[in-house]
Amino acid sequence: MKIGNVGQDVSRIGLGTWAIGGGPAFDGVDAEDLGIQTIHEGLAHKVNLVDTAPGYNFGRSEEIVGKAIAGNREDYVVITKCGLIWDGEGSFFNKVGDRVLNRSLDPASIERELEASLTRLGTDYIDIYMTHWPAIEPFNTPIAETVEYLMGLKEKGLIHGIGAANVDSNQVREYLKYGDLDIVQMRYSILDRTVEKDLMPVCIENGVTVQAYSPLEMGILAGAVPRGYVPPAGNARAGKKWFEPANLELAQDMLDAWAPLREKYDCSSADLAIAWILAQDENVTVLSGSTRPEEISENVRAMSINLSDEDAAWMRGYAEKIG
């Protein structure tokens, strides 16, 4: 499929590298070797889209991606982001370990971020440059100003496409009013369908690619989270709705109920969860947060599952009953 005017086709499953970056949000794991192997394994399965961001362990994820794509840059479509900084002024976003991330979409800040990202990635262009989070007070740069700057970067060839993550439908309309918007990343899984109400329809109506992140709810829908699991303090899973004990149990009961479908399609729970998202619309893509080669090898199987309308509706109905 195509994303905006980005030259090459991309697979409907891309590789998200937040966890590959390691760091405090992921139990301090530095998965460089496995991360590089996973990115290479993805390409072997025609997964050529790799998503990263400076905010993923303070540039570490970008560094790993840069090492993985070295020598084969043209084979990959790379998404990286701007708007979360740790070395300048901005609106408070989060504290990760001992460092604070702030939000800023000021053009001067984006300029510094882009230069650093190009260096870490070892490239002279970004396929898709994405705002990571909208700007908010007290550093609320207007979308018109941010888009104007991004369009300038596009004209210079420093970036080839423009994306936005974690935006609402009105913000999407504003991006489109002032310039290009090729792709929107949104949290979307069968357990979290909030975006279906307004955001997703606006994107599809305007030809903006929808890219779902956290399609497996950080491992729950892959069956990788044991019953009774409690995330440690500071972990990326801590405080998330579906990791609350009662909700986690309901989600795991749902996976048990998927057993006949796993047998019917000869697949895993992760395959079903991803296939369900892909079945919603042909303009929807998915990011797989795989951290090991075998995980990306497994997740790409979802593209070959022809989930019937009846089964997709049954899965939705069950999910709606539990939240």
Side-chain angles (χ1 to χ4, degrees):
M1 68 174 294
K2 290 284 188 183
I3 297 178
N5 293 319
V6 175
Q8 64 208 91
D9 288 342
V10 298
S11 58
R12 292 189 70 195
I13 292 179
L15 177 62
T17 64
W18 183 18
I20 283 174
F26 288 92
D27 300 328
V29 174
D30 186 339
E32 178 173 315
D33 289 344
L34 278 177
I36 291 172
Q37 292 171 28
T38 302
I39 293 166
H40 290 169
E41 182 70 14
L43 190 62
H45 291 281
K46 299 183 179 179
V47 175
N48 62 340
L49 188 145
V50 180
D51 173 87
T52 185
Y56 298 161
N57 197 18
F58 306 99
R60 184 64 178 140
S61 173
E62 285 187 325
E63 291 172 352
I64 294 171
V65 171
K67 291 179 180 180
I69 68 175
N72 297 287
R73 174 66 181 91
E74 299 300 324
D75 292 334
Y76 291 93
V77 173
V78 176
I79 298 177
T80 196
K81 307 179 185 74
C82 59
L84 288 186
I85 60 174
W86 59 92
D87 54 358
E89 289 189 324
S91 306
F92 176 80
F93 175 71
N94 195 13
K95 187 173 183 181
V96 181
D98 296 328
R99 289 198 272 186
V100 170
L101 287 170
N102 293 319
R103 295 194 199 187
S104 176
L105 289 175
D106 176 77
S109 180
I110 295 174
E111 182 179 18
R112 291 190 297 271
E113 281 201 83
L114 178 61
E115 183 178 350
S117 289
L118 290 171
T119 298
R120 286 189 290 260
L121 289 164
T123 185
D124 57 4
Y125 69 95
I126 304 297
D127 295 284
I128 299 169
Y129 203 43
M130 180 175 290
T131 56
H132 205 156
W133 286 86
I136 57 174
E137 297 294 350
F139 294 87
N140 191 10
T141 304
I143 287 176
E145 188 175 334
T146 299
V147 173
E148 180 182 11
Y149 184 73
L150 294 176
M151 291 295 289
L153 295 177
K154 192 172 182 179
E155 290 173 7
K156 294 175 183 176
L158 290 171
I159 67 174
H160 295 170
I162 295 173
N166 304 302
V167 288
D168 62 32
S169 57
N170 289 329
Q171 290 165 333
V172 167
R173 293 185 182 98
E174 199 164 356
Y175 270 82
L176 292 169
K177 178 180 178 181
Y178 294 110
D180 298 337
L181 185 62
D182 302 302
I183 184 170
V184 164
Q185 276 186 9
M186 54 184 70
R187 187 178 184 89
Y188 186 32
S189 76
I190 195 169
L191 289 173
D192 187 347
R193 305 170 305 282
T194 308
V195 299
E196 294 180 343
K197 182 177 180 181
D198 192 19
L199 177 58
M200 203 164 129
V202 168
C203 289
I204 291 171
E205 177 185 344
N206 287 281
V208 179
T209 297
V210 172
Q211 190 165 62
Y213 71 82
S214 289
L216 301 179
E217 286 294 332
M218 304 185 84
I220 293 174
L221 295 174
V225 180
R227 287 186 181 269
Y229 172 79
V230 177
N235 185 273
R237 292 165 164 171
K240 300 294 191 297
K241 172 184 174 180
W242 289 102
F243 283 92
E244 296 171 4
N247 290 332
L248 180 58
E249 186 171 353
L250 289 172
Q252 290 167 326
D253 289 344
M254 181 180 75
L255 294 189
D256 290 345
W258 286 2
L261 293 181
R262 289 194 293 272
E263 183 176 354
K264 176 179 179 179
Y265 293 100
D266 188 23
C267 68
S268 68
S269 293
D271 296 337
L272 284 173
I274 293 172
W276 183 87
I277 294 176
L278 295 177
Q280 303 311 302
D281 189 272
E282 63 182 9
N283 203 37
V284 174
T285 70
V286 171
L287 280 179
S288 162
S290 303
T291 58
R292 295 175 177 274
E294 58 267 27
E295 291 174 354
I296 191 67
S297 298
E298 291 171 2
N299 288 346
V300 297
R301 297 182 312 201
M303 291 189 290
S304 64
I305 295 175
N306 186 19
L307 193 65
S308 73
D309 292 343
E310 181 182 7
D311 289 336
W314 179 85
M315 291 173 69
R316 175 184 292 275
Y318 193 112
E320 288 176 347
K321 287 178 184 177
I322 66 173

